[in-house]
Amino acid sequence: MKEIKLNNYKRFFEWGFLLLLIILMVGNPTLFTSMTRSVFEVNKLLLLRIITIVSCSLWFFKYILFKDNNLSNQKNCYHFLGFTWHKTGLEIPLLIWIFTNILSTIFSADLKTSIIGAYDRWEGIVTVTNYAILILLFAKLITTKKQLKWILLSLIGATLFSSFYGVLQSLGHDFMFWSKDPTYRVFACINNPVHFCAFVGMIVPIGISYLISIIKDKQVDTILLPNLKSNHTIAFILKAILYSTAFIIAVKTTIPTVYSSTTIQIICLTIITIILSETSKQSIPDKENIIKWSLFGILLFCSFMFDLVSFSKEQWVALLSLMILIVSMAPLPNLSLTLKRTLFFSISIIFYSQLLSFSRATWVGFMIAMPIFYILINKTLINFNKIKQAFTETILLIFFAGIFCLTTIFKVHNYHFILAIFIISLLITSLFFLIKIKKINILSTLPYILCFAFLLLDNSLLIIKQYPIIPDLKMIILGYLTYICYNTPKQTKPLIEQLVIIFLFSQIQFINNSMLNIFTFISLILCYYFVGLKDSSKLNKEKKFYLLNFLIMFGLITILPTLSGIVDSATITLIQSRFIKIPTTIALTICIFTLYSLLLLNKLPLIKDKKFQIRFGLILILIPLLIFPLKSKILNLKHSDTGKYSIAKNLQVKTANRYQNQLYTSARISMWKSAIPWFLDYPILGSGLDTVKLLYPVYRRPEYGILEGGHNYTPDRLHNEYLNTLVTKGIIGFIAFYFGLMGIWYFLSIKGFSKNNTHPLSNLLIGFMSSCAIYLIQVLFNFGVVATLVLFFAVMGLSLSTINIINNDQ
């Protein structure tokens, strides 16, 4: 009886901790209020303080209650005064980090500031201690799969809410009166587009890894509404209520006159979506569904491009949101597939908000970390069970991806000939070691390397400007690269896959600049499929399906907002070149594709199904109704409708030469130069926590005010977290955090993944490592705020708890 009561108490504590951490995960990306002077930071920080105090108090009470009852495993523990502490592996580096921060506070240039922090940032020793406790809270209190999944679902759901708010901001709809125009760069519930972009960027790999981890999880149906699993009536009623409510909201909020042609068009498209969704309930769509959805996609594409439907940008967003809801909920009462589809579309919306809030720093981190994410999750590293070799190859890949980004994004080789030689030497050296570590014949990789080298040619180089044939040669090279990837030998595939995926992510943000970039992206997708997915025995079909479709989704979301401008530009070019007009070409392509699809369908037994004939006939009836309200706009591109393409224009501005000349004309360079004498004055322990704003005037360079534009002469951060750490915490604090805490955490995470790479939850470890990598790379040009730091340290704790859950599960 006593043991039963203790177990009940233990269950109470577990759910109490889970509820508190869920509140933090939900509140961190969403909480803000105009009732305080600092709309975002102080409110999120207050939530962090409350959650850590309440959680620690409850945790301490639990320890007092259970210290002698031996309810938990006593192995691999610390014992002190009758208390038991299960090791996480991070205790010693965490204590060293806290100790160095205390020393920096004691010897600070301003003790009060280093204790409570500077105004609006508040990153003194109190907040740093909060972050350290946060790691332990998530590492120690999340002990089961169910708890872990609820935390992740809450985090992704809250980020989805914030992201959708960002989408509404991009359309000009906001209930707050912000000082900046939110339609240009959205920031949703976080104080700045730069930090919002970093936050949502960090969520993307976590969401993908969670989706991959539940592909074969039979317990998914018990997580949400278990009674719904076999009840089709309840599922039908639930879907009817959801669809009706969503449709009414979409129409009422976006159509001024409900009884109009626009309403008829939305009804037609909604019905078509429901019909297609209700007949597409497989985890992996078959050929029939692929053809049906492709035809529907072409219909939507033509409706947008040629103005077949008179939708505003708000109505398009409402319609697409309604379609996403329908497709996601269609598999009910199959909760597992419903959850997977919901996650896929949630990550898609979160990624779109990352695009809308564009930050150069986050995109650099994203383009370096995501290739490593795909390489690890595809299991193309050599010697997984040899931890040191796996760790070495991972570091080498990160280094190669980083140098690659310097070449393809920042184009630093254009600044000076010697710098170009140095960068190329680093690329060749790191590539040589990658080839050597995999024990591959260099000659067998030469055709691929030559193709990549040619594709890297920069059109800004003077010698290439004289030869307009280069784009045509690039298309030929891409075709050749696709062909040789199709026939790549098995031994060479892992290396080529790594190179393809690194190249693909380095190009992903530029694909909305031209038709050539779109063709490049499609070719690299095919190359990745041939060398990474087609014959892989390490991945099941569903995992391959989602990994490939996430890449396609990244490309589509990047392309679609600016596609109208790209097609307009291509049309003008073709007309000026006296080629066939683009509308005629598109119309002919559609006719050929439709005829081919019908021929395919005719060979399928599905065409004989009466239900299919009824649905297909209904769709054929709806399409004329969809087009009937038109006047004479079928093949007219609306150059004059600037409102319709405002998002596209914003994105094109951001993606055009966004990295050019940044190394020499930015005020950040002046900040970074100020850090040199500052560090030399306080080399060991720094000037004290959060003293940047206090001491910056002492080290401010004369040109800073001019470069900054005549305002903000005293920044509170150096826009480089590594330099912030050096000047405020000294070399000891720098080593304690980046080499001690982060280095050991990454080693523990890679070790946990290497030992348990066949366990489904090991995919989460890759997501957590990639998420933290995005943060650590973007703070090279940025700094952390409460929202991103809470997520960063929570993810560190979740990685340790995941390792513990995996070990207990085996």
Side-chain angles (χ1 to χ4, degrees):
M1 182 65 69
K2 183 178 178 182
E3 187 174 343
I4 293 174
K5 286 183 178 180
L6 288 173
N7 283 323
N8 289 335
Y9 284 132
K10 186 179 180 183
R11 194 174 298 110
F12 164 78
F13 282 116
E14 288 176 353
W15 284 103
F17 292 138
L18 179 61
L19 179 61
L20 289 168
L21 296 180
I22 285 176
I23 292 172
L24 180 61
M25 289 294 94
V26 172
N28 184 48
T30 59
L31 181 64
F32 68 92
T33 174
S34 60
M35 296 174 64
T36 56
R37 171 65 179 84
S38 177
V39 177
F40 298 95
E41 292 291 276
V42 72
N43 302 296
K44 297 178 189 296
L45 190 58
L46 177 62
L47 178 66
L48 173 65
R49 297 264 205 271
I50 293 171
I51 294 298
T52 51
I53 290 171
V54 175
S55 298
C56 287
S57 301
L58 196 61
W59 195 6
F60 180 73
F61 182 71
K62 180 191 173 187
Y63 258 91
I64 295 294
L65 185 63
F66 288 106
K67 70 173 184 177
D68 292 322
N69 54 43
N70 295 320
L71 281 178
S72 56
N73 183 15
Q74 300 294 307
K75 295 180 180 179
N76 195 30
C77 299
Y78 293 110
H79 300 281
F80 181 72
L81 298 177
F83 292 96
T84 300
W85 177 273
H86 290 265
K87 295 179 182 178
T88 65
L90 210 61
E91 286 84 2
I92 294 176
L94 197 59
L95 288 173
I96 292 173
W97 177 52
I98 290 293
F99 180 69
T100 58
N101 278 276
I102 292 172
L103 288 178
S104 295
T105 302
I106 293 171
F107 295 97
S108 172
D110 189 303
L111 182 61
K112 182 180 177 181
T113 298
S114 292
I115 292 175
I116 63 174
Y119 175 76
D120 203 34
R121 299 300 178 193
W122 313 111
E123 288 188 18
I125 189 63
V126 176
T127 303
V128 170
T129 304
N130 279 153
Y131 293 144
I133 292 172
L134 196 61
I135 298 175
L136 296 176
L137 287 177
F138 280 92
K140 301 289 290 180
L141 301 181
I142 305 300
T143 57
T144 65
K145 287 183 181 179
K146 186 173 288 189
Q147 289 177 319
L148 181 62
K149 290 174 181 178
W150 273 115
I151 288 288
L152 294 174
L153 287 174
S154 302
L155 177 59
I156 295 169
T159 308
L160 174 64
F161 174 81
S162 185
S163 297
F164 193 74
Y165 176 28
V167 174
L168 295 179
Q169 280 186 332
S170 71
L171 299 174
H173 301 289
D174 203 345
F175 63 93
M176 297 290 288
F177 296 97
W178 305 107
S179 58
K180 293 184 179 180
D181 179 12
T183 63
Y184 183 68
R185 288 180 68 188
V186 305
F187 48 88
C189 306
I190 297 175
N191 66 334
N192 190 294
V194 170
H195 305 305
F196 177 67
C197 189
F199 190 95
V200 294
M202 290 170 67
I203 295 296
V204 171
I206 295 175
I208 298 175
S209 63
Y210 176 58
L211 174 54
I212 297 299
S213 71
I214 63 171
I215 282 178
K216 288 189 174 182
D217 191 350
K218 296 180 181 179
Q219 296 181 354
V220 169
D221 288 336
T222 64
I223 296 175
L224 299 168
L225 304 176
N227 295 330
L228 184 64
K229 184 177 179 181
S230 58
N231 197 322
H232 291 268
T233 304
I234 295 177
F236 175 79
I237 294 171
L238 180 61
K239 285 193 286 186
I241 294 172
L242 285 173
Y243 296 168
S244 303
T245 305
F247 180 80
I248 291 170
I249 293 173
V251 171
K252 284 285 188 181
T253 56
T254 60
I255 302 178
T257 305
V258 175
Y259 302 101
S260 64
S261 61
T262 304
T263 305
I264 295 173
Q265 292 164 346
I266 288 182
I267 291 173
C268 293
L269 289 172
T270 302
I271 294 174
I272 294 173
T273 305
I274 292 174
I275 292 172
L276 293 178
S277 300
E278 289 298 320
T279 58
S280 306
K281 297 184 178 182
Q282 307 94 330
S283 297
I284 304 175
D286 52 22
K287 292 181 180 179
E288 301 147 8
N289 283 315
I290 292 173
I291 293 172
K292 288 188 291 185
W293 282 105
S294 298
L295 291 172
F296 185 50
I298 291 172
L299 174 63
L300 289 175
F301 172 78
C302 293
S303 300
F304 173 72
M305 290 304 305
F306 304 134
D307 212 13
L308 297 181
V309 292
S310 52
F311 290 170
S312 65
K313 56 188 178 183
E314 290 85 359
Q315 289 160 357
W316 273 113
V317 169
L319 175 64
L320 291 174
S321 301
L322 181 59
M323 290 169 60
I324 287 173
L325 177 66
I326 292 170
V327 175
S328 299
M329 296 296 108
L332 287 175
N334 183 343
L335 288 170
S336 177
L337 183 55
T338 300
L339 179 60
K340 291 172 191 174
R341 288 189 181 182
T342 303
L343 281 170
F344 179 83
F345 288 118
S346 297
I347 298 304
S348 302
I349 295 171
I350 290 170
F351 177 80
Y352 181 50
S353 68
Q354 178 185 338
L355 188 67
L356 293 175
S357 61
F358 200 95
S359 166
R360 293 187 295 264
T362 298
W363 274 91
V364 171
F366 190 81
M367 290 184 295
I368 295 176
M370 286 306 294
I372 310 304
F373 172 86
Y374 263 79
I375 289 167
L376 288 174
I377 215 159
N378 279 13
K379 301 180 181 179
T380 56
L381 287 184
I382 201 73
N383 294 324
F384 265 107
N385 296 324
K386 295 182 179 180
I387 298 167
K388 290 184 179 179
Q389 290 189 18
F391 185 77
T392 302
E393 187 174 355
T394 303
I395 297 300
L396 186 59
L397 282 167
I398 292 172
F399 177 79
F400 178 78
I403 299 298
F404 198 83
C405 279
L406 284 175
T407 307
T408 58
I409 300 171
F410 290 100
K411 306 188 189 311
V412 294
H413 54 282
N414 285 344
Y415 290 110
H416 199 280
F417 177 75
I418 295 177
L419 185 60
I421 295 296
F422 178 69
I423 291 295
I424 292 171
S425 300
L426 287 178
L427 269 176
I428 294 173
T429 303
S430 55
L431 182 59
F432 172 78
F433 280 110
L434 280 173
I435 295 172
K436 185 177 179 181
I437 201 171
K438 290 184 178 294
K439 299 178 181 179
I440 298 172
N441 185 358
I442 295 179
L443 291 177
S444 65
T445 64
L446 194 58
Y448 305 93
I449 295 171
L450 291 176
C451 287
F452 286 123
F454 185 86
L455 293 174
L456 281 175
L457 287 176
D458 181 9
N459 288 326
S460 66
L461 291 174
L462 182 61
I463 189 173
I464 296 179
K465 284 184 177 180
Q466 302 171 6
Y467 300 97
I469 197 173
I470 289 295
D472 299 323
L473 287 177
K474 281 190 174 183
M475 293 182 71
I476 295 171
I477 293 295
L478 283 166
Y480 175 68
L481 178 63
T482 306
Y483 171 75
I484 60 177
C485 284
Y486 178 77
N487 295 290
T488 302
K490 185 177 180 180
Q491 185 182 4
T492 314
K493 277 187 177 182
L495 175 68
I496 304 305
E497 178 192 343
Q498 292 173 0
L499 298 180
V500 167
I501 204 71
I502 289 172
F503 192 95
L504 191 152
F505 271 99
S506 72
Q507 299 296 309
I508 202 166
Q509 63 170 315
F510 301 110
I511 59 179
N512 56 10
N513 287 346
S514 68
M515 292 297 294
L516 177 60
N517 289 357
I518 293 176
F519 184 77
T520 301
F521 177 75
I522 294 172
S523 301
L524 290 172
I525 287 283
L526 288 172
C527 291
Y528 171 71
Y529 173 75
F530 291 140
V531 298
L533 299 179
K534 186 173 180 289
D535 300 318
S536 176
S537 59
K538 299 177 181 178
L539 307 174
N540 59 55
K541 289 184 179 180
E542 197 169 355
K543 190 173 181 180
K544 292 178 183 179
F545 172 77
Y546 282 112
L547 287 175
L548 182 63
N549 276 277
F550 270 115
L551 286 177
I552 296 172
M553 177 271 294
F554 291 153
L556 283 175
I557 288 177
T558 308
I559 293 169
L560 285 178
T562 57
L563 188 59
S564 57
I566 296 172
V567 173
D568 284 4
S569 177
T571 303
I572 294 169
T573 302
L574 287 172
I575 291 173
Q576 290 176 346
S577 302
R578 297 180 181 179
F579 281 103
I580 187 169
K581 291 185 179 182
I582 196 72
T584 308
T585 307
I586 291 176
L588 183 62
T589 304
I590 293 170
C591 290
I592 294 172
F593 187 86
T594 305
L595 179 63
Y596 178 70
S597 302
L598 290 174
L599 289 173
L600 280 178
L601 283 172
N602 201 28
K603 295 178 182 180
L604 299 171
L606 183 65
I607 197 69
K608 301 176 182 179
D609 186 2
K610 290 184 178 180
K611 290 183 178 179
F612 173 78
Q613 293 173 1
I614 294 171
R615 295 187 188 111
F616 193 71
L618 181 59
I619 291 174
L620 290 178
I621 293 170
L622 288 170
I623 291 175
L625 288 176
L626 178 68
I627 303 175
F628 179 74
L630 301 175
K631 296 181 180 178
S632 59
K633 302 180 180 179
I634 291 181
L635 293 177
N636 295 323
L637 297 173
K638 293 183 68 177
H639 296 280
S640 60
D641 190 355
T642 56
K644 182 177 179 180
Y645 302 123
S646 60
I647 295 176
K649 290 182 178 180
N650 287 341
L651 292 175
Q652 285 175 334
V653 168
K654 296 169 196 169
T655 55
N657 299 321
R658 67 171 72 92
Y659 296 102
Q660 299 304 304
N661 300 320
Q662 289 294 315
L663 293 179
Y664 295 108
T665 62
S666 173
R668 295 182 185 182
I669 300 298
S670 179
M671 289 184 188
W672 299 347
K673 290 178 180 178
S674 298
I676 298 172
W678 194 338
F679 169 69
L680 293 176
D681 286 347
Y682 302 92
I684 307 301
L685 295 172
S687 59
L689 274 63
D690 218 7
T691 55
V692 172
K693 190 171 185 178
L694 178 71
L695 292 181
Y696 186 77
V698 178
Y699 301 97
R700 182 171 52 219
R701 295 174 63 85
E703 76 277 6
Y704 173 74
I706 299 172
L707 293 172
E708 188 65 24
H711 67 284
N712 191 24
Y713 284 95
T714 308
D716 53 13
R717 290 293 182 273
L718 297 179
H719 285 272
N720 182 309
E721 197 64 55
Y722 298 90
L723 293 179
N724 285 331
T725 303
L726 274 174
V727 300
T728 60
K729 302 173 186 177
I731 191 66
I732 292 179
F734 184 91
I735 293 172
F737 183 75
Y738 292 109
F739 290 91
L741 188 66
M742 294 309 306
I744 293 176
W745 178 79
Y746 264 106
F747 182 79
L748 292 173
S749 298
I750 292 175
K751 178 181 178 181
F753 173 69
S754 300
K755 276 189 165 184
N756 309 285
N757 62 81
T758 57
H759 195 285
L761 289 184
S762 66
N763 296 302
L764 284 175
L765 297 176
I766 304 172
F768 296 145
M769 287 188 286
S770 302
S771 178
C772 287
I774 290 173
Y775 174 85
L776 291 171
I777 295 170
Q778 63 95 21
V779 292
L780 279 166
F781 316 95
N782 196 11
F783 55 90
V785 294
V786 175
T788 53
L789 284 167
V790 166
L791 176 61
F792 176 73
F793 289 111
V795 166
M796 288 181 65
L798 285 171
S799 180
L800 298 176
S801 68
T802 302
I803 294 171
N804 185 53
I805 292 169
I806 293 173
N807 291 335
N808 292 336
D809 195 38
Q810 292 181 341

